[in-house]
């Protein structure tokens, strides 16, 4: 799928770790997407994401998720 393809392209070590852990993206990524990030971020941050998604089009929701991963990469790669 598009999200994991982009993960493998931009974050190959993290994508490999997610696959090894058998961590389905439905547990984490789709939670963000289905709630438009409301469950994970303060409303002011969500408003910025929503503005970007309105201007950027439907794929921007994936790019926001990749941006979050980029900003938290070091913490995520250390998780066990």
């Amino acid at each position: 799928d598009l999200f994991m393809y982009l993960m493998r392209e931009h974050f190959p070590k993290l994508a490999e770790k997610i696959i090894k852990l058998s961590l389905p993206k439905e547990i984490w990524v789709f939670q963000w997407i289905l709630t438009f990030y409301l469950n994970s971020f303060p409303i002011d941050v969500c408003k910025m994401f929503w503005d970007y998604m309105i201007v950027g089009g439907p794929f921007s929701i994936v790019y926001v998720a990749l941006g979050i991963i980029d900003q938290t990469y070091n913490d995520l790669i250390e998780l066990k």
Side-chain angles (χ1 to χ4, degrees), residues 29-40 46 50:
V29 175
F30 287 134
Q31 182 70 19
W32 288 343
I33 293 171
L34 288 175
T35 63
F36 289 101
Y37 302 97
L38 278 172
N39 286 348
S40 303
C46 290
W50 299 340

Side-chain angles (χ1 to χ4, degrees), residues 1-19:
D1 70 35
L2 174 64
F3 186 79
M4 284 310 291
Y5 170 79
L6 292 171
M7 281 286 294
R8 284 192 289 279
E9 285 292 311
H10 297 282
F11 310 105
K13 288 181 184 177
L14 185 58
E16 182 181 321
K17 184 173 187 167
I18 290 167
I19 292 167

Side-chain angles (χ1 to χ4, degrees), residues 1-12 14-15 18 25 28-29 32-33 37 41 49 52-53 59-74 76:
D1 70 35
L2 174 64
F3 186 79
M4 284 310 291
Y5 170 79
L6 292 171
M7 281 286 294
R8 284 192 289 279
E9 285 292 311
H10 297 282
F11 310 105
L14 185 58
I18 290 167
K25 63 186 173 301
W28 55 289
V29 175
W32 288 343
I33 293 171
Y37 302 97
F41 297 96
F49 291 161
Y52 174 73
M53 288 184 265
F59 289 111
S60 61
I61 198 164
V62 173
Y63 299 133
V64 168
L66 291 172
I68 294 166
I69 291 168
D70 183 54
Q71 293 298 306
T72 58
Y73 179 83
N74 290 333
L76 293 172

